[in-house]
Amino acid sequence: MGEGSGDSTGEMLRRVGGDTPLLEVRHVTKRFGSFTANDNVSLKIMPGEIHALLGENGAGKSTLVKIIYGSLQPNSGEIFWKGKAVTVASPAEARAIGVGMVFQHFSLFEAMTVAENIALALPNCRATRELCETIARVSANYGLPLDPNAHVADLSVGERQRVEIVRCLLQNPELIIMDEPTSVLTPQEADQLFVTLRRLAEEGCAILYISHRLEEVRALCHHATIMRRARVVAETDPANETVNTLAQLMVGNEITRVTREKGKLGPEAILLKGLTQVSQEAFGVSLHDINLSVRSGEIVAIAGIAGNGQKELFDALSGEEPLDKEDMVILAGEAAGLMNINQRRLLGAAFVPEERLGHGAVPALKLSENVVLTRHGTGEGIARRGFTRFGKAGRIVETVTSLFDVRKGVVDPEARSLSGGNLQKFVVGREVERTPKILIVAQPTWGVDAGAAAVIRQSLIDLSRKGAAILVISQDLDEIFEIADRIAVISRGHLSKAEDADTLTPEKVGLLMAGGAEKKGAAAA
Amino acid sequence: MMRLELVKRPQKSRLMSVLSPIVAVALTVVFAGIVFAAQGHSPFTGIWYFFLEPITSLWGVEQLITKATPLVIIALGLSVCYLSNNWNIGAEGQLTIGAIVGSILPILFPDFVSPVVLPLMLLMAMAGGALFALIPAKLKTVFGTNEILTSLMLVYCSNLFLDWMVRGPWRSPQGYNFPITIDFHEWAVLSAVDVGGIYLNLSAPIALLLVAILAVVMRSTLKGFEIRVLGQSPRAGSFAGFSNRRMTAFAFALSGALAGLAGMMVVMSEIGKLQPVISPGYGFTAIIVAFLGRLNPVGILIAGLVIASSYLGGEAIQTSLQMSSKLATVIQGVLLFFVLAADTLILYKVRLVPGREGERAHA
């Protein structure tokens, strides 16, 4: 991450506040049916402490946080607030005792102003001038400058997060829960956030900080609680750990690193020439004169903050959204701009969308039926003379399962019964198993645990080294630097020139993400 | 303190898929018994007359099949609509327009007497129903109107159109001013054949054939797959290369065609001419049949027979016990209620759990 957070001094991490724990969770257990999400979990947060909660997806972090914030009730166990036993029956009660929460997915009304959005969370619901002044003052105090009269739709993601934080601060919380706050920020915006969080901690406000980014946890947090499979497996001072040791505590065994060698480059398989498209949706992003080429044997990544045209670009590439001219998208040498998605698949292209459930897979259909979903029109005989062959699809499920280690309870389960990571392995594996010539994949490891992410990334690299052209659209810079040969950045529908990954740094990419990519012919110089 | 908790099953329960309709029917019989008792009759006599007596005679069975046939045919088309997330409520109107279009031949060309008239009439009725159903479909895909409202409102248009036709342009000159058309000639009616003591016409085997065809289509063709995918997840459907707009048109046209077919066959077998009212609400009752049969072709066949028997049961308790035949509607409604409620068991299991201290304090 940024340089400011890279080194950590003991001085910066000194904690301010008394010795009575602010919040203590004792032996909490929460079951959903036969599934135990929290098993005898205990957690202690001191005043003024930035406390990291670490764990893979499905380790039970969200459940624990929901219990603290009152949106779930535990089956057993106790919660103590400033030494006294309490029952937090609802989020309103949590806010009343002084617990605030900043969600990963913002809950703001885009058509309303900052002040109106904040007023909605307050008892009298009126965006008075007084409130505007308070917002301006508080936000400036904490280094979160905000214009109270700006419309949320016009704000960047980082600014929207500030609205959430300021809304939380106005309720004078003593504990703020932050769920993956940096996952949507540029490195520069993240550094800015860390300054604010340290400032809050110095004033005695405790922060429960949930993140996958171990570097920033090391730099920021006084204490870390690590969960694995519904239990607390370790408590540690993250400053004394390395990223590797923290990751090991989370995953339980050594993470397999992906290996990468340069591939042999072939002809241009994906070519975008002046791809321009005006968005038809109210809050959609228009694509402006996008030029890009991806050759066989390489992986090109498109970095960018969510909502900068990634969805529109993916739909234009897959053919789900028809284009104006056929030569705007050229796949495997054929002008494909006017083709539908199955005609593009016949050219050897495969697609993995960002959303697993509801786009990449139908939740209530079995895996074999979900194989038919994307492969009935690929000329493999899965659909013949109008009849579907689910048996053949079932054999593909078996192959994908063994190649990608998809863990499932029964032979052919419904897609929704798989965990996020396993479903993602299936959705990627379903396309990779075809050995496509072209693979276009959005957020290949979004919300997936470290083990599954490594499997997926390795499979992408292996596929490209076998001669496929791969385009990855991702917000995860770590992932991009791990697998990409070249990197381009998308910002408000403009795409920067793709640069060799070895010559780029996360900081340069961050600058492009923050708007640099919009300049004509922009590249990180 | 104990409380009931619904726990989501990881997979649909196959056992419960089979058991839940049986549970629902059993609960309905119990409920019906209570209603009969409340009306001052022995519940057992009531249940006998309502559920069983109608099918003890050959004539009753014949009536059952006659009533069930149009319900099944219409419900098959509606099931395709509902599975693909298109809410066609206007089958009654499509039935009416189909019957009117099919009747053009015997009414306007009474001298055209030939064996081809009958199949031509059926085809014309299907085309008429399909075209009429395409109106709400196009309104939906082009202007984004709500198809529930438009298809329902078109029912009233079509019924009034039929009323005007039989009182005006198509009124029979020999009909003593009654609002009826001329009688259809011999090649324009479906005549019944004696099958082991029951008189049946061609419509029942056609319904069975349609059940079989739709069962195969839904189970093992790409079209059936497309219908299911687009209904459950439109975005995944377009990712598979399927078109939501074309599916809306297809589903409405298909259900309109089947409603038109059913309407024509009712007119050809039971009435033999057009009159202001040609259907006792088959198009609406078929909605219940489609859901009672859980949108599955074989299920619809069974549900069609069950609902048809409740019509006969209503008549039976009226004549034998002097109870209002409206009770049949009550029992149909209760049956649908129990079926939908029992469906919960397929996706959830019920558990008894002890209440917890903290939650009681806050309850």
Side-chain angles (χ1 to χ4, degrees):
Chain A
M1 285 291 102
E3 274 168 40
S5 58
D7 57 352
S8 50
T9 63
E11 203 172 28
M12 282 174 92
L13 294 178
R14 193 180 306 131
R15 188 178 63 77
V16 184
D19 288 331
T20 316
L22 179 68
L23 175 84
E24 202 179 345
V25 173
R26 281 192 207 158
H27 311 298
V28 157
T29 296
K30 176 70 187 175
R31 280 183 293 269
F32 297 101
S34 59
F35 174 73
T36 306
N38 276 182
D39 186 1
N40 196 17
V41 170
S42 297
L43 173 81
K44 198 188 283 181
I45 301 176
M46 307 299 287
E49 180 180 69
I50 306 184
H51 191 117
L53 185 58
L54 297 175
E56 289 189 290
N57 286 96
K61 294 172 308 204
S62 312
T63 305
L64 179 58
V65 164
K66 280 180 188 159
I67 288 170
I68 296 173
Y69 196 55
S71 39
L72 283 179
Q73 298 304 318
N75 294 99
S76 64
E78 290 168 303
I79 297 175
F80 291 84
W81 180 255
K82 295 177 183 169
K84 269 187 265 172
V86 288
T87 310
V88 191
S90 70
E93 284 189 26
R95 285 194 293 269
I97 61 172
V99 179
M101 180 149 179
V102 176
F103 291 93
Q104 184 181 7
H105 300 288
F106 308 145
S107 45
L108 298 173
F109 293 97
E110 296 207 330
M112 295 166 75
T113 67
V114 170
E116 286 166 343
N117 265 291
I118 290 176
L120 282 176
L122 299 177
N124 71 355
C125 270
R126 299 265 299 276
T128 57
R129 192 188 306 162
E130 209 179 326
L131 178 65
C132 290
E133 282 164 13
T134 318
I135 292 169
R137 194 182 65 243
V138 170
S139 62
N141 264 350
Y142 288 97
L144 302 161
L146 266 184
D147 173 4
N149 296 314
H151 283 266
V152 168
D154 301 331
L155 301 185
S156 72
V157 180
E159 287 170 318
R160 289 180 197 202
Q161 188 181 50
R162 285 180 204 164
V163 179
E164 290 268 352
I165 296 173
V166 168
R167 178 156 77 179
C168 191
L169 287 178
L170 286 185
Q171 293 155 359
N172 297 314
E174 291 175 78
L175 171 66
I176 300 181
I177 303 168
M178 302 196 88
D179 191 2
E180 304 234 14
T182 57
S183 61
V184 290
L185 302 183
T186 62
Q188 287 82 2
E189 284 176 322
D191 285 345
Q192 175 88 54
L193 175 69
F194 298 155
V195 173
T196 306
L197 295 185
R198 290 201 181 96
R199 169 85 194 277
L200 280 168
E202 276 164 26
E203 291 179 5
C205 181
I207 294 162
L208 182 59
Y209 190 87
I210 302 169
S211 179
H212 281 301
R213 303 199 178 183
L214 303 174
E215 269 301 344
E216 63 186 40
V217 166
R218 279 191 62 232
L220 188 69
C221 299
H222 303 105
H223 200 86
T225 298
I226 295 154
M227 293 184 71
R228 185 166 76 228
R229 291 185 191 161
R231 293 162 183 266
V232 170
V233 290
E235 281 194 57
T236 177
D237 178 353
N240 297 336
E241 303 280 343
T242 66
V243 168
N244 256 335
T245 55
L246 282 176
Q248 229 171 304
L249 287 170
M250 267 168 61
V251 183
N253 49 19
E254 196 78 45
I255 304 173
T256 44
R257 300 286 300 180
V258 301
T259 54
R260 178 158 73 100
E261 288 163 20
K262 281 272 176 228
K264 250 190 257 142
L265 293 186
E268 285 176 332
I270 307 172
L271 194 56
L272 306 182
K273 289 201 293 195
L275 172 57
T276 299
Q277 194 176 34
V278 179
S279 171
Q280 305 294 324
E281 282 172 43
F283 292 107
V285 179
S286 296
L287 302 174
H288 304 280
D289 192 22
I290 287 179
N291 294 290
L292 180 73
S293 96
V294 183
R295 299 173 65 177
S296 299
E298 72 171 341
I299 299 180
V300 173
I302 294 182
I305 303 159
N308 271 284
Q310 288 96 330
K311 178 189 161 292
E312 289 79 3
L313 180 62
F314 182 87
D315 288 352
L317 286 167
S318 70
E320 284 166 274
E321 196 63 45
L323 294 171
D324 301 335
K325 293 191 199 134
E326 65 169 2
D327 60 353
M328 280 180 174
V329 174
I330 295 171
L331 297 175
E334 303 260 352
L338 301 181
M339 291 184 179
N340 66 31
I341 188 165
N342 282 327
Q343 290 168 319
R344 296 182 196 207
R345 286 189 177 121
L346 274 176
L347 295 178
F351 308 92
V352 180
E354 174 177 342
E355 218 180 308
R356 293 183 276 272
L357 277 179
H359 192 182
V362 182
L365 290 189
K366 293 174 185 166
L367 291 186
S368 60
E369 294 172 307
N370 273 301
V371 165
V372 177
L373 189 74
T374 63
R375 290 175 65 166
H376 65 86
T378 50
E380 298 170 276
I382 288 171
R384 190 177 281 178
R385 290 196 204 100
F387 283 85
T388 42
R389 300 231 216 117
F390 290 113
K392 198 158 184 167
R395 286 193 288 281
I396 294 175
V397 172
E398 284 317 300
T399 319
V400 172
T401 304
S402 62
L403 281 178
F404 282 80
D405 184 28
V406 178
R407 289 173 210 170
K408 49 191 172 71
V410 293
V411 175
D412 196 3
E414 289 168 16
R416 64 170 164 212
S417 70
L418 263 57
S419 75
N422 279 311
L423 184 59
Q424 185 68 16
K425 283 193 278 189
F426 168 76
V427 168
V428 173
R430 176 180 65 185
E431 307 305 325
V432 169
E433 195 265 347
R434 230 183 97 201
T435 36
K437 285 189 278 184
I438 294 167
L439 180 65
I440 292 161
V441 43
Q443 307 291 6
T445 61
W446 188 76
V448 158
D449 62 60
V455 171
I456 290 169
R457 290 172 189 166
Q458 188 66 57
S459 77
L460 294 181
I461 291 171
D462 293 346
L463 182 68
S464 84
R465 299 316 177 236
K466 278 190 241 164
I470 301 183
L471 183 64
V472 177
I473 301 173
S474 176
Q475 292 167 52
D476 183 341
L477 283 186
D478 296 338
E479 165 172 275
I480 286 176
F481 277 98
E482 200 170 332
I483 62 174
D485 298 303
R486 289 189 297 135
I487 299 171
V489 174
I490 192 166
S491 175
R492 294 189 200 220
H494 296 267
L495 189 73
S496 73
K497 191 164 162 281
E499 296 279 303
D500 202 319
D502 298 336
T503 67
L504 286 172
T505 62
E507 280 67 36
K508 284 183 186 169
V509 173
L511 283 173
L512 289 169
M513 282 162 68
E518 291 164 43
K519 293 176 194 117
K520 192 76 193 150
Chain B
M1 190 177 87
M2 300 290 274
R3 63 198 167 94
L4 282 172
E5 210 173 63
L6 285 178
V7 183
K8 202 161 171 59
R9 298 175 192 267
Q11 301 285 321
K12 282 183 199 162
S13 162
R14 278 173 172 260
L15 177 69
M16 279 301 163
S17 297
V18 177
L19 275 186
S20 90
I22 298 171
V23 169
V25 169
L27 287 170
T28 308
V29 171
V30 171
F31 179 89
I34 295 170
V35 171
F36 293 134
Q39 299 270 315
H41 291 276
S42 151
F44 298 102
T45 332
I47 288 169
W48 161 256
Y49 279 112
F50 189 88
F51 292 98
L52 300 171
E53 197 266 350
I55 48 172
T56 50
S57 68
L58 284 178
W59 184 83
V61 174
E62 187 185 304
Q63 283 299 303
L64 184 71
I65 294 173
T66 309
K67 287 245 178 332
T69 301
L71 290 176
V72 169
I73 294 176
I74 300 169
L76 287 175
L78 290 180
S79 73
V80 169
C81 272
Y82 301 154
L83 282 170
S84 65
N85 214 2
N86 290 297
W87 299 98
N88 180 8
I89 309 294
E92 183 77 6
Q94 293 139 26
L95 173 156
T96 306
I97 295 294
I100 293 173
V101 173
S103 303
I104 289 174
L105 283 185
I107 292 172
L108 294 186
F109 306 97
D111 298 330
F112 177 40
V113 179
S114 147
V116 299
V117 170
L118 194 144
L120 269 181
M121 282 171 71
L122 294 180
L123 286 177
M124 283 166 69
M126 289 172 77
L131 286 174
F132 194 62
L134 279 174
I135 298 172
K138 282 291 155 192
L139 288 173
K140 178 185 181 183
T141 54
V142 178
F143 299 109
T145 54
N146 183 321
E147 75 272 26
I148 298 178
L149 289 177
T150 51
S151 63
L152 177 62
M153 290 191 295
L154 282 167
V155 172
Y156 305 114
C157 298
S158 63
N159 285 349
L160 291 171
F161 180 68
L162 172 65
D163 197 80
W164 174 73
M165 286 297 278
V166 297
R167 288 174 201 278
W170 281 8
R171 190 175 56 194
S172 166
Q174 295 93 39
Y176 306 103
N177 256 343
F178 281 108
I180 48 172
T181 64
I182 56 168
D183 288 341
F184 291 0
H185 58 73
E186 56 175 333
W187 287 109
V189 292
L190 284 170
S191 39
V193 182
D194 185 349
V195 184
I198 304 172
Y199 283 88
L200 290 178
N201 61 46
L202 205 57
S203 54
I206 288 180
L208 279 180
L209 184 68
L210 288 169
V211 167
I213 292 174
L214 195 67
V216 172
V217 166
M218 290 312 298
R219 205 183 169 84
S220 44
T221 68
L222 196 58
K223 195 72 195 172
F225 183 69
E226 181 181 344
I227 291 165
R228 283 189 289 153
V229 168
L230 285 173
Q232 292 182 26
S233 181
R235 187 123 169 80
S238 64
F239 187 60
F242 303 142
S243 157
N244 281 294
R245 291 158 153 269
R246 260 180 282 150
M247 178 50 70
T248 299
F250 171 83
F252 267 89
L254 179 76
S255 67
L258 291 184
L261 176 70
M264 191 74 259
M265 291 199 299
V266 167
V267 169
M268 290 167 109
S269 58
E270 293 175 36
I271 313 173
K273 56 179 167 290
L274 284 185
Q275 57 191 39
V277 176
I278 54 172
S279 147
Y282 286 134
F284 291 117
T285 311
I287 299 171
I288 303 180
V289 172
F291 280 104
L292 197 58
R294 60 183 66 249
L295 306 180
N296 170 301
V298 178
I300 286 171
L301 179 63
I302 297 167
L305 291 168
V306 169
I307 291 289
S309 84
S310 74
Y311 275 127
L312 301 181
E315 287 166 17
I317 55 169
Q318 194 170 21
T319 51
S320 311
L321 304 175
Q322 286 77 49
M323 292 170 77
S324 165
S325 65
K326 291 272 187 276
L327 264 182
T329 322
V330 173
I331 290 170
Q332 281 172 17
V334 167
L335 177 59
L336 185 65
F337 171 82
F338 280 127
V339 164
L340 295 178
D343 269 7
T344 311
L345 296 173
I346 299 173
L347 286 175
Y348 297 87
K349 54 184 173 212
V350 180
R351 280 195 332 173
L352 260 183
V353 287
R356 222 173 44 83
E357 284 298 316
E359 277 172 356
R360 213 183 310 161
H362 276 274

